[in-house]
């Protein structure tokens, strides 16, 4: 019943027309006296060449039924509240089974079917109820199904089925590759995955998880065992997470979970991380808006192996990380802002990043980024610059970035560029800051995928004056976020193409992630 110009594009084109059609179909399923096709045909004939309305059509439908369809008129058509009715439990009572139902959403009538092991036993319509209700069926019944014909546009069909003899109330099913979810089963999906780095070579694995293609879940798990072909190392990751929606908009989604993984970080050496986390996210009342906000808190525990040839001053550490993010991406204007706080036993640091992108009328765009970070206290002298702010290549002690090689400093993979922290493309000295850092970066398109970039910054270390640094050059944006090349031109070092080993000064962004 909302005007179309207040709808999201998806709702305008797909969701609302389908909901209306499915609703009419469900109405005819609820009352077989309604012949939907002839009703629409007759209404069209009666209203031809006259001004009409939705209410006139509803009055026409009511003339064909003796049942109360106010739920359809007042709730189904006029509310965006989701439909979600579940089978809560079953209890044996004498010579019958009592089935308890709970309504978690919009109030509609619903059909309950019961089955023995071999045949259908009963089919009963339950009247509209707001909270809970129950019904008695034959004690021969083993399986129960709400809306078995799947006529109702329901938010969650997973809780519509109940098997009295099953431990999990539904059969378990293993599916190869991710698929559309079948609500009659507890499904587990299995897909092959791959990755690559210089220590392990090609990494082959299998991801085992429970999320289908379309419907969101409150509980998610994922287990990914993998194997490095070069390193012969068994690796992998695992995570479980819970999501709960508090309300339709505002600070509405709470999520919590824990994840862990084991991967190579140096030749023959593995790291293990454990990360419990909790967060809350925000979306505006205007669902047409792209604005979003989030607050996340996580505790990252890292354990790294060491060897005689690769000793570590800090093999084990824990970092408490709190993050706030604000994002409002649109076609002509993109704006992102985040604040990041970290606390460990020997340091505390605060950093913020601001991104702004503008698409101009001549189809060119400019991108502007500002980064600023400072240590609140720093007692990491024994760690070198491991926890310091990086001007051009973060050490990634929280293992958030997908480096092809983490410890390399002079070979090809060491030229991989990660857009983080200082965001410089040239390697300038000092490369790290143990007090504070402030940088600004700008990019603009020159011609199609050819762009110009420039970075400026101030960097401060203990016992020395702050340094001003800059760089600039040409970027080839071959495939956005997948394959990008950076050619330094002028920087604090001078005109870089005239310097020795220019090929080693070229940086690249490359991702082997199948998602990217």
């Amino acid at each position: 019943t909302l005007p179309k110009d207040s709808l999201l594009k998806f709702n305008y084109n797909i969701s609302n027309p389908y909901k209306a059609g499915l609703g009419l179909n469900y109405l005819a399923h609820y009352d077989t006296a309604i012949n939907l096709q002839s009703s629409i045909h007759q209404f069209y004939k009666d209203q031809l060449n006259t001004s009409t309305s939705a209410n006139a059509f509803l009055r026409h439908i009511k003339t064909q039924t003796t049942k109360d369809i106010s739920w359809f008129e007042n709730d189904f058509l006029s509310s965006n509240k989701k439909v979600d009715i579940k089978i809560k439990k079953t209890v044996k009572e004498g010579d019958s089974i009592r089935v308890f139902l709970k309504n978690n959403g919009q109030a509609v009538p619903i059909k309950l079917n019961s089955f023995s092991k071999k045949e259908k036993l009963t089919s009963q319509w339950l009247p509209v109820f707001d909270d809970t209700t129950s019904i008695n069926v034959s004690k021969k019944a083993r399986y129960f199904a709400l809306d078995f014909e799947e006529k109702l546009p329901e938010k969650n069909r997973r809780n519509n089925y109940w098997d009295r003899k099953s431990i999990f109330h539904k059969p378990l099913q293993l599916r190869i590759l991710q698929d559309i979810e079948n609500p009659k089963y507890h499904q587990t999906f299995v897909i092959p995955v791959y990755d690559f780095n210089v220590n392990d070579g090609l990494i082959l694995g299998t991801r085992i998880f429970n999320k289908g293609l379309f419907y969101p879940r409150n509980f998610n798990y994922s287990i990914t065992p993998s194997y490095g072909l070069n390193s012969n190392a068994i690796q992998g990751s695992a995570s479980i997470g819970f999501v709960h929606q508090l309300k339709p908009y505002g600070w509405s989604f709470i999520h919590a979970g824990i994840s862990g993984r084991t991967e190579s970080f140096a030749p023959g050496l593995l790291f293990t991380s454990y990360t419990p986390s909790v967060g809350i996210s925000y979306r505006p009342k205007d669902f047409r808006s792209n604005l979003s906000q989030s607050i996340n808190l996580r505790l990252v525990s890292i354990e790294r192996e060491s060897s005689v040839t690769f000793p570590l001053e800090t093999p084990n550490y824990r970092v408490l990380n709190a993050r706030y993010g604000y994002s409002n991406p649109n076609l002509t204007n993109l704006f992102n802002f985040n604040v990041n706080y970290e606390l460990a036993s020997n340091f505390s640091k605060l950093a913020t990043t601001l991104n702004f992108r503008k698409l101009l009328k001549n189809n060119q765009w400019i991108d502007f980024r500002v980064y600023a970070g400072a240590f609140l206290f720093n007692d990491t002298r024994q760690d070198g610059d491991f926890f310091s702010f990086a001007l051009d290549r973060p050490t990634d002690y929280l293992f958030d970035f997908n480096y092809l090689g983490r410890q390399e400093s002079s070979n090809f993979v060491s030229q991989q560029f990660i857009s983080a922290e200082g965001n410089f493309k040239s390697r300038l000295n000092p490369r790290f800051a143990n007090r504070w850092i402030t940088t600004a970066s700008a990019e603009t398109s020159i011609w199609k995928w050819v762009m110009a970039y420039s970075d400026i910054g101030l960097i401060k270390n203990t016992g020395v004056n702050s340094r001003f640094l800059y760089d600039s050059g040409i970027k080839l944006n071959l495939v956005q976020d997948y394959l990008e090349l950076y050619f330094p031109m002028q920087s604090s070092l001078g005109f870089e193409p005239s310097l020795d080993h220019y090929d080693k000064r070229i940086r690249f962004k490359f991702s082997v992630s199948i998602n990217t």
Side-chain angles (χ1 to χ4, degrees):
T1 56
L2 282 176
K4 284 192 173 184
D5 60 4
S6 67
L7 298 176
L8 294 170
K9 189 174 182 180
F10 174 82
N11 288 339
Y12 180 95
N13 288 320
I14 299 174
S15 182
N16 270 30
Y18 268 76
K19 182 182 177 182
L22 290 169
L24 288 169
N25 197 41
Y26 189 69
L27 194 63
H29 177 62
Y30 171 61
D31 187 354
T32 55
I34 300 175
N35 188 322
L36 193 59
Q37 185 170 346
S38 65
S39 294
I40 294 173
H41 182 68
Q42 185 62 46
F43 181 76
Y44 176 78
K45 286 177 61 178
D46 295 345
Q47 302 293 321
L48 196 62
N49 298 325
T50 64
S51 177
T52 190
S53 68
N55 288 331
F57 179 67
L58 285 170
R59 288 194 298 269
H60 176 71
I61 292 291
K62 287 178 183 178
T63 62
Q64 302 176 46
T65 179
T66 58
K67 292 187 176 183
D68 179 15
I69 62 170
S70 59
W71 58 270
F72 178 76
E73 181 179 4
N74 299 329
D75 295 323
F76 186 86
L77 294 179
S78 302
S79 172
N80 66 351
K81 191 176 182 181
K82 304 298 185 289
V83 179
D84 184 17
I85 302 175
K86 65 180 288 187
I87 300 176
K88 189 176 181 182
K89 63 179 180 178
T90 60
V91 178
K92 189 174 181 180
E93 293 183 350
D95 62 348
S96 64
I97 303 294
R98 181 168 287 275
V99 183
F100 292 85
L101 308 177
K102 180 172 177 57
N103 187 353
N104 295 320
Q106 201 173 101
V108 297
I110 196 164
K111 185 192 287 186
L112 175 68
N113 290 326
S114 65
F115 304 84
S116 68
K117 194 170 184 178
K118 296 183 179 179
E119 62 180 347
K120 180 179 177 180
L121 296 177
T122 61
S123 180
Q124 298 169 270
W125 277 99
L126 282 75
V128 174
F129 66 97
D130 288 325
D131 188 15
T132 60
T133 190
S134 63
I135 185 172
N136 279 20
V137 297
S138 169
K139 68 176 182 179
K140 296 179 182 179
R142 173 176 172 175
Y143 307 98
F144 302 94
L146 290 172
D147 187 34
F148 182 72
E149 296 87 353
E150 296 191 354
K151 300 289 187 180
L152 184 63
E154 201 172 0
K155 172 187 176 182
N156 179 16
R157 296 189 188 277
R158 300 185 200 101
N159 50 28
N160 286 13
Y161 299 88
W162 190 279
D163 180 358
R164 292 179 54 232
K165 303 297 184 182
S166 173
I167 297 175
F168 302 102
H169 307 306
K170 285 195 296 186
L172 303 178
Q173 185 185 67
L174 186 69
R175 297 298 299 269
I176 306 301
L177 302 181
Q178 192 175 18
D179 200 353
I180 297 172
E181 192 171 7
N182 187 334
K184 299 175 184 177
Y185 299 92
H186 285 296
Q187 291 184 305
T188 296
F189 303 101
V190 179
I191 61 173
V193 294
Y194 73 93
D195 205 345
F196 174 84
N197 64 56
V198 294
N199 296 319
D200 299 298
L202 185 63
I203 303 169
L204 300 179
T206 300
R207 183 176 173 228
I208 306 165
F209 60 104
N210 69 327
K211 186 180 184 303
L213 281 174
F214 296 126
Y215 299 110
R217 301 184 66 99
N218 292 335
F219 169 72
N220 295 284
Y221 66 82
S222 177
I223 305 169
T224 309
S226 57
Y227 180 77
L229 297 186
N230 283 0
S231 62
N232 295 321
I234 297 175
Q235 309 176 24
S237 63
S239 66
I240 58 172
F242 302 87
V243 180
H244 177 66
Q245 184 174 357
L246 298 171
K247 51 186 179 178
Y249 53 87
W251 291 99
S252 52
F253 286 92
I254 291 179
H255 51 87
I258 185 170
S259 63
R261 60 180 174 138
T262 297
E263 293 180 11
S264 295
F265 73 96
L269 300 177
L270 300 174
F271 80 88
T272 302
S273 71
Y274 306 96
T275 309
S277 62
V278 64
I280 186 170
S281 58
Y282 170 93
R283 66 175 182 177
K285 187 175 182 179
D286 177 12
F287 292 162
R288 296 169 69 94
S289 170
N290 291 327
L291 187 149
S292 65
Q293 298 181 75
S294 63
I295 299 173
N296 296 285
L297 182 67
R298 62 175 179 163
L299 178 64
V300 184
S301 300
I302 302 293
E303 297 178 4
R304 298 188 295 164
E305 295 179 343
S306 62
S307 65
V308 175
T309 58
F310 200 90
L312 297 173
E313 295 292 341
T314 311
N316 304 324
Y317 51 90
R318 292 183 176 87
V319 179
L320 180 67
N321 179 209
R323 294 184 290 184
Y324 165 78
Y326 176 98
S327 177
N328 192 12
N330 297 286
L331 177 64
T332 56
N333 292 286
L334 177 147
F335 180 75
N336 294 326
F337 172 75
N338 68 71
V339 178
N340 190 76
Y341 173 72
E342 295 175 10
L343 175 65
S345 60
N346 55 349
F347 73 87
S348 172
K349 62 198 297 190
L350 183 68
T352 183
T353 309
L354 180 150
N355 273 98
F356 175 75
R357 177 179 292 180
K358 174 73 174 178
L359 180 65
L360 304 178
K361 289 184 178 181
N362 61 1
N363 226 24
Q364 288 186 307
W365 57 268
I366 57 172
D367 191 304
F368 187 67
R369 178 185 185 271
V370 174
Y371 177 81
F375 279 92
L376 305 183
F377 76 87
N378 187 1
D379 186 20
T380 61
R381 290 181 296 273
Q382 75 279 5
D383 305 299
D385 283 313
F386 186 60
F387 296 109
S388 297
F389 294 109
L391 187 68
D392 72 282
R393 185 177 166 91
T395 58
D396 191 27
Y397 51 86
L398 296 181
F399 293 91
D400 287 332
F401 306 132
N402 191 21
Y403 277 118
L404 296 175
R406 294 182 177 276
Q407 304 303 321
E408 285 70 20
S409 59
S410 59
N411 59 9
F412 173 70
V413 296
S414 69
Q415 295 171 232
Q416 182 185 6
F417 171 72
I418 299 290
S419 181
E421 297 192 9
N423 203 50
F424 268 56
K425 289 75 182 178
S426 295
R427 292 178 176 175
L428 308 176
N429 286 316
R431 296 185 64 187
F432 296 95
N434 58 25
R435 288 288 302 279
W436 54 261
I437 184 174
T438 301
T439 65
S441 304
E443 292 183 358
T444 185
S445 53
I446 300 174
W447 174 79
K448 294 186 177 181
W449 38 268
V450 180
M451 308 180 66
Y453 72 83
S454 180
D455 308 300
I456 59 172
L458 284 169
I459 190 167
K460 177 73 169 88
N461 283 284
T462 302
V464 296
N465 293 330
S466 60
R467 285 280 308 277
F468 173 78
L469 301 168
Y470 74 95
D471 71 2
S472 60
I474 300 297
K475 170 184 172 180
L476 302 185
N477 192 11
L478 302 178
V479 184
Q480 182 80 34
D481 295 324
Y482 177 77
L483 180 59
E484 301 174 1
L485 299 176
Y486 297 84
F487 295 86
M489 300 301 289
Q490 187 71 34
S491 73
S492 297
L493 298 174
F495 186 60
E496 293 205 30
S498 65
L499 303 178
D500 294 338
H501 306 295
Y502 181 71
D503 58 322
K504 295 183 179 180
R505 302 177 186 275
I506 298 170
R507 305 292 295 273
F508 68 91
K509 181 185 288 186
F510 177 65
S511 173
V512 294
S513 167
I514 194 169
N515 291 328
T516 307

